[in-house]
Amino acid sequence: MTKIVFGLTRAEGTSREEFERYYLDEHAPMATEMPGVRRYTVAFSEGDAEYDAIAEVHFEDREALDAALASDAGRAAGADLANFADTDDLLQLIAEEHVVVG
């Protein structure tokens, strides 16, 4: 299983509540339209943390992930980040997942 992990911080002037609402109500439904998404999670930080949210989007393999990002839905979701997140302070990590417990 291959996944892409995002660390996101709120755009300047965006409250935590606005950030979470936009992410869950607007961005997440858009991102789930990408082809090949097998699992998608988001966790919002509590208190003071480097990132306001960590999102993980899982795909069968790297080829499926690359195809999803290159799709119309993937490009739209990428462009949408600027509507609620600081795109200059974005963590993006593509990784092969190894389950240790579970």
Side-chain angles (χ1 to χ4, degrees):
M1 186 81 55
T2 300
K3 67 181 174 181
I4 187 164
V5 178
F6 293 99
L8 302 159
T9 56
R10 292 174 280 150
E12 188 173 333
T14 303
S15 72
R16 182 175 303 277
E17 294 78 20
E18 291 168 324
F19 175 80
E20 291 182 15
R21 186 212 54 79
Y22 189 92
Y23 194 105
L24 293 173
D25 295 345
E26 305 294 333
H27 184 74
M30 183 183 300
T32 60
E33 295 296 317
M34 292 187 299
V37 173
R38 299 286 300 272
R39 179 180 161 109
Y40 182 4
T41 64
V42 61
F44 297 105
S45 66
E46 295 182 5
D48 190 27
E50 185 172 353
Y51 295 103
D52 293 306
I54 298 292
E56 296 184 355
V57 188
H58 299 246
F59 298 88
E60 187 63 36
D61 53 32
R62 179 60 190 258
E63 291 76 25
L65 184 152
D66 290 341
L69 296 179
S71 70
D72 289 344
R75 288 191 298 277
D80 184 56
L81 290 172
N83 290 324
F84 68 103
D86 179 354
T87 56
D88 291 330
D89 185 23
L90 176 72
L91 168 72
Q92 182 175 317
L93 170 72
I94 296 174
E96 200 57 39
E97 183 173 71
H98 301 274
V99 177
V100 177
V101 175

